[in-house]
């Protein structure tokens, strides 16, 4: 079982307590009616789906209840870091120790 | 063998308030609300358990229910908050005995060493959302919503029988 560090509880807790909630750092457009259909489609459905480091949202639903963000490697399934929602995306090169 | 008993219902509230309102809420409830997730504090029959950054479970004796509601109503104008009585929502089981911790590992995915004496947390008990509190080294309470209670209780008893049979 994966252990996930909840930045609010500050503990390594079992994956079972958490729910995955899609890619992180996707802001809803401020004025949707100003967007073209293609731009709106991109916002709704188009995700980066990378091979490697992925920034994603998780929710500690069976715990403190909070949403937070994580950087996870989609190849190894290893969590590089987790951080509270609202914080800026961390520097990948610092997380992986190599240039991204 | 572990003793499993359902505790009588008292008064239980789900309470939420922003960080700026914690001091006023503590004063209204008469217990300093702990701000570390998992932290617990008590004063007489009143007890506060911090479940999340802005969420607490408040317990009080049944006879104090109305007084608690009135005290919070008194601060509502200056300290907006949410206080919802959830007494009827769940059953609370006391699980005590030498193997109490081991019995709970049947359903709790969390490392039980993280649940220290005098702390509590929301977690799961075999897929059932539960609130687990460690009252003493070998004594816990497990609260589950009543619709899930038959499953949780049955599982506790099955595991207990296995322990008794030396499995
Ligand atoms: Zn948490």
């Amino acid at each position: 079982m994966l252990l996930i560090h909840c930045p609010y509880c500050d503990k390594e807790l079992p994956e079972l307590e958490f729910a995955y909630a899609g890619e992180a750092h996707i802001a809803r457009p401020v004025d949707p009616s100003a967007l073209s259909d293609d731009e709106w489609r991109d916002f709704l459905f188009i995700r980066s789906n990378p091979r490697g480091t992925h920034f994603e949202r998780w929710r500690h639903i069976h715990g403190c209840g909070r949403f937070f963000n994580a950087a996870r490697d989609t190849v190894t399934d290893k969590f590089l870091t987790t951080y509270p929602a609202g914080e800026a995306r961390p520097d990948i090169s610092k997380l992986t120790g190599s240039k991204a | 063998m572990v003793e499993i008993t359902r505790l009588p219902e008292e008064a239980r509230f789900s309470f939420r308030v922003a960080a700026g309102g914690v001091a006023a809420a503590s004063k209204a409830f008469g217990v300093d609300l702990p701000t570390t997730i998992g932290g617990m504090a008590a004063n007489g029959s009143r007890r506060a358990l911090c479940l999340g950054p802005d969420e607490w479970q408040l317990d009080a004796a049944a006879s104090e229910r109305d007084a608690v509601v009135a005290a919070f109503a008194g601060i509502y104008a200056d300290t907006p908050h949410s206080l919802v009585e959830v007494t009827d929502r769940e059953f609370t089981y006391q699980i005590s005995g030498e193997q109490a911790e081991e019995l709970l590992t049947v359903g709790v995915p969390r490392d039980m060493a993280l649940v220290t004496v005098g702390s509590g947390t929301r977690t799961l008990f075999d897929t059932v959302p539960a609130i687990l509190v460690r009252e003493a080294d070998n004594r816990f309470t497990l609260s589950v919503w009543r619709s899930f209670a038959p499953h949780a209780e049955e599982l506790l008893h099955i595991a207990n029988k296995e322990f008794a049979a030396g499995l």
Side-chain angles (χ1 to χ4, degrees):
Chain A
M1 192 188 312
L2 280 174
L3 290 176
I4 302 175
H5 183 265
C6 172
Y8 294 97
C9 295
D10 198 22
K11 288 189 172 89
E12 303 275 332
L13 297 165
E15 183 191 356
L16 283 176
E17 291 188 1
F18 296 82
Y20 177 71
E23 187 170 357
H25 302 292
I26 294 172
R28 190 174 197 276
V30 178
D31 184 7
S33 57
L35 265 57
S36 69
D37 285 352
D38 281 359
E39 286 167 332
W40 186 243
R41 175 208 58 199
D42 288 353
F43 159 68
L44 287 179
F45 303 115
I46 306 302
R47 296 295 177 260
S48 61
N49 195 26
R51 183 182 191 280
T53 307
H54 185 230
F55 293 92
E56 55 197 22
R57 298 161 78 221
W58 284 80
R59 185 180 180 200
H60 192 192
I61 183 163
H62 299 298
C64 63
R66 275 295 169 112
F67 280 91
F68 61 92
N69 293 335
R72 182 178 58 93
D73 191 305
T74 57
V75 177
T76 63
D77 214 14
K78 195 172 155 51
F79 279 83
L80 302 169
T81 188
T82 58
Y83 51 102
E87 279 187 10
R89 200 185 289 249
D91 186 347
I92 299 180
S93 59
K94 272 186 193 149
L95 296 175
T96 56
S98 64
K99 277 189 181 166
Chain B
M1 280 293 276
V2 176
E3 208 174 302
I4 302 158
T5 42
R6 204 179 104 201
L7 299 177
E9 282 157 31
E10 296 288 344
R12 176 165 293 170
F13 300 88
S14 168
F15 179 69
R16 302 196 64 170
V17 72
V22 172
S26 299
K27 215 170 150 201
F29 189 54
V31 177
D32 281 338
L33 300 187
T35 50
T36 308
I37 295 169
M40 204 158 60
N43 180 6
S45 79
R46 296 190 185 190
R47 185 159 91 163
L49 166 63
C50 184
L51 292 175
D54 59 0
E55 183 187 3
W56 289 263
Q57 174 184 287
L58 304 181
D59 284 311
S63 59
E64 288 179 32
R65 171 185 299 125
D66 296 343
V68 171
V69 172
F72 278 103
I75 63 164
Y76 191 74
D78 295 322
T79 308
H81 61 263
S82 153
L83 180 78
V84 180
E85 184 175 359
V86 295
T87 312
D88 224 23
R89 181 177 73 177
E90 53 208 36
F91 286 163
T92 298
Y93 296 93
Q94 178 173 277
I95 295 140
S96 63
E98 221 170 288
Q99 286 177 294
E101 179 181 278
E102 203 183 339
L103 184 75
L104 283 162
T105 62
V106 166
V108 176
R110 190 176 276 229
D111 179 357
M112 292 299 285
L114 294 177
V115 187
T116 52
V117 175
S119 80
T121 180
R122 194 187 281 120
T123 181
L124 288 170
F125 182 76
D126 189 52
T127 74
V128 176
I131 291 178
L132 175 69
V133 174
R134 190 171 208 149
E135 308 281 352
D137 209 20
N138 289 325
R139 184 160 53 88
F140 298 81
T141 57
L142 186 75
S143 303
V144 296
W145 289 18
R146 44 199 309 155
S147 52
F148 300 122
H151 172 67
E153 189 174 350
E154 181 67 14
L155 185 64
L156 284 168
H157 284 294
I158 289 171
N160 207 13
K161 279 182 197 151
E162 289 183 351
F163 281 12
L167 294 173

